[in-house]
Amino acid sequence: MKKQKIIATLLSAGLCLSVFGTFNTSDVSAAGIKLSTKKVTIKEKGSAVVKVKGISKKAKVTYKLKNKSIAKLTSKVSKGKKAKVKVVGKKKGNTILTVTVKDGKRKKILTCKVIVKSTKGADSVKTPEAETTPSNTEVTTAPVVNPTKTPVVYTNPVTKVVFDEDDYVTVEVGDNYTFATKLTPADGEPASIEYVSAIERVATVDDKGVLTAKYPGMVKIDVKGKVDGSTGDSVYVKVVDTAPAPEGFDSLNPSIEHGTVTGLNYNSDYREGGMAHAQMWLPPDYSIDKKYNVLFCLHGGMDDEYYWTNNCSGDDVLDRAYADKIMEDTIVVFTSGVIPYVEGKDYPGLPKNPVISSWGRDHYLLEFEIINNLLPFLKENYPIMEGNEHTAVCGLSMGGGQTLDIGLKNPEIFGYVGCFSAGPFMSGDQQFVTCEEDVAKLNSTLKFFSIMVGSEDFLGDNNVRIFEQTCTEYGVSHLFVEEQGLGHEDRCWNRNLYKFMKYAFK
């Protein structure tokens, strides 16, 4: 029976490929292929050259810009070891350069963030260090923010400050990190600069440049001078959690209390017959007198609502997480994610004339069933709390793709989103993170977003990692976890669930 389930898992992964990405068994050998840079910053009408490294003379390369109104591509070299492209700025904004490399049996998709700055106004103002360095007798006053307070006076204020760091700094959750900066003038008063964290839930920074990593995610940190006319800099910090799950976390433990796994029937506007079934995990001390968060936990392709508790060890993982006191009071619902779409049927809540792939015909409707049927049913029959701060969704493989479709499209409903071993696109295309407006909405609405995958996952290079790279380059706050030595398998997803519960609803 176990052997049959392993085969089913592999088949489910193959099914996901039709929507999640193009499968290529030689992707591991493509690890040496990379770009000369992951980010270029140019001015309008300025240019930069991006080179492709680690390829042979037989390699073929294609280039594509996400937003052609921001920049254009010229001087393309699309074959051989000297493959490169020139990026020319057109107008202020950000875009993504996608580079697809085919080198024999090797294939890799790479991305480079392109930032175009304006040549007008503040973007073109340069602060000559020698001219702006005040003398010892010169006094500069910072802007008065509160007129009732005495303004701070600096005898030697900083007029320019830059981070002496890589573009991305990685800090373990709970740790501190002191930023290195370069000041102009070099002996300028440190008190005349300030640090600002874009998401203080993830990290804070004090006036001495000491960062405290509070919660997993990615956050932009700005530094600037306090006086008028000073210039500053920014850097991104990735707050990570590399701690492994405890020994035996996904095994039945007779020494701890166990939750209850039970079936759940509810009305559905999206299934033939009008009824649906799910599995539910209730905490060991469940009581109708308490209030609970709710997590929707989704299975992979060709499986059902029993997979998480029959094949993975979802109930054992939850029991241990609850006993370890790392998870909040939560009801977990394991849904059945396969709902055949019937052409021409009038489904409530769907957009008009939806474009659905052949794969999506069996998986598209789950989003609407959860939001319009299952969640209201739970609110009516169970003591769950309302609001996106109390509602989460996660899933593995195919269910990971559904999780992105459900969670990232509806962050006002689902505040915690966990994607395990899946990607949301085909051939490098995805609809969730395409512009700064998408980033602003996700960062301001989501509480926690995680992307997790095994280091040996054969779906990796073509979907999970490229989407994570896109999130990084756009600045979407998220936690990326790569479980070493694991592939597209139950052991990986058990670890993913344990770590997800560690941060959900906090």
Side-chain angles (χ1 to χ4, degrees), residues 322-334:
Y322 204 76
D324 289 346
K325 301 185 184 302
I326 67 163
M327 69 175 282
E328 303 297 307
D329 290 330
T330 305
I331 293 174
V332 181
V333 180
F334 303 101

Side-chain angles (χ1 to χ4, degrees), residues 197 199-205 211-215 219 221 237 239:
S197 169
I199 309 176
E200 293 195 341
R201 169 184 174 83
V202 174
T204 57
V205 191
L211 176 138
T212 299
K214 300 170 63 178
Y215 190 86
V219 59
I221 305 296
V237 173
V239 178

Side-chain angles (χ1 to χ4, degrees), residues 77-344:
V77 178
S78 300
K79 293 183 180 181
K81 293 183 177 181
K82 296 184 178 181
K84 61 182 179 179
V85 65
K86 179 183 287 187
V87 185
V88 181
K90 296 173 67 176
K91 70 175 184 180
K92 182 181 178 181
N94 297 345
T95 186
I96 297 292
L97 167 65
T98 300
V99 180
T100 302
V101 181
K102 293 182 180 180
D103 190 358
K105 293 183 178 181
R106 301 190 301 166
K107 179 180 178 181
K108 193 158 189 177
I109 301 173
L110 307 163
T111 59
C112 174
K113 185 174 183 179
V114 178
I115 302 173
V116 179
K117 294 189 174 183
S118 174
T119 56
K120 300 177 182 179
D123 285 337
S124 63
V125 175
K126 294 184 178 180
T127 308
E129 296 181 9
E131 297 179 7
T132 58
T133 302
S135 67
N136 293 333
T137 58
E138 196 172 6
V139 176
T140 306
T141 303
V144 178
V145 178
N146 187 339
T148 64
K149 293 184 178 181
T150 303
V152 179
V153 177
Y154 303 108
T155 57
N156 189 21
V158 172
T159 58
K160 179 180 179 181
V161 55
V162 295
F163 282 112
D164 189 15
E165 304 279 0
D166 293 332
D167 290 339
Y168 300 98
V169 175
T170 300
V171 185
E172 190 78 14
V173 65
D175 286 353
N176 294 326
Y177 182 86
T178 302
F179 288 111
T181 55
K182 292 182 179 180
L183 309 181
T184 302
D187 60 348
E189 298 170 73
S192 66
I193 64 174
E194 62 181 346
Y195 298 85
V196 178
S197 169
I199 309 176
E200 293 195 341
R201 169 184 174 83
V202 174
T204 57
V205 191
D206 66 16
D207 56 4
K208 295 182 180 180
V210 178
L211 176 138
T212 299
K214 300 170 63 178
Y215 190 86
M218 191 173 79
V219 59
K220 182 182 179 183
I221 305 296
D222 293 306
V223 63
K224 62 179 181 179
K226 295 180 180 179
V227 299
D228 285 337
S230 61
T231 60
D233 197 8
S234 62
V235 69
Y236 279 96
V237 173
K238 294 183 177 183
V239 178
V240 300
D241 178 359
T242 60
E247 187 72 26
F249 77 100
D250 55 353
S251 299
L252 180 63
N253 187 340
S255 66
I256 63 175
E257 292 186 297
H258 302 286
T260 301
V261 177
T262 183
L264 177 71
N265 295 309
Y266 58 96
N267 293 322
S268 172
D269 294 319
Y270 304 90
R271 298 178 191 260
E272 289 298 315
M275 291 297 296
H277 181 266
Q279 289 289 93
M280 173 185 288
W281 179 89
L282 300 173
D285 56 354
Y286 174 76
S287 169
I288 60 173
D289 296 325
K290 294 176 66 175
K291 291 290 187 179
Y292 294 88
N293 305 289
V294 61
L295 164 66
F296 298 94
C297 198
L298 315 184
H299 62 77
M302 296 182 66
D303 289 305
D304 55 29
E305 65 269 34
Y306 298 97
Y307 190 89
W308 268 103
T309 52
N310 285 4
N311 295 75
C312 290
S313 304
D315 50 340
D316 294 328
V317 172
L318 295 170
D319 289 345
R320 179 62 181 266
Y322 204 76
D324 289 346
K325 301 185 184 302
I326 67 163
M327 69 175 282
E328 303 297 307
D329 290 330
T330 305
I331 293 174
V332 181
V333 180
F334 303 101
T335 61
S336 172
V338 180
I339 312 175
Y341 176 83
V342 179
E343 193 74 38

Side-chain angles (χ1 to χ4, degrees), residues 365-423:
L365 293 174
L366 181 63
E367 169 191 354
F368 304 96
E369 183 185 77
I370 288 178
I371 293 173
N372 298 323
N373 295 153
L374 182 51
L375 185 54
F377 174 84
L378 294 171
K379 290 179 180 179
E380 184 176 346
N381 293 279
Y382 292 86
I384 64 172
M385 295 179 280
E386 299 190 27
N388 80 332
E389 67 271 28
H390 301 296
T391 311
V393 60
C394 71
L396 65 89
S397 193
M398 177 203 77
Q402 288 177 306
T403 291
L404 293 170
D405 204 42
I406 294 169
L408 300 192
K409 285 170 60 178
N410 304 281
E412 70 284 352
I413 299 176
F414 304 91
Y416 303 84
V417 178
C419 170
F420 310 155
S421 304

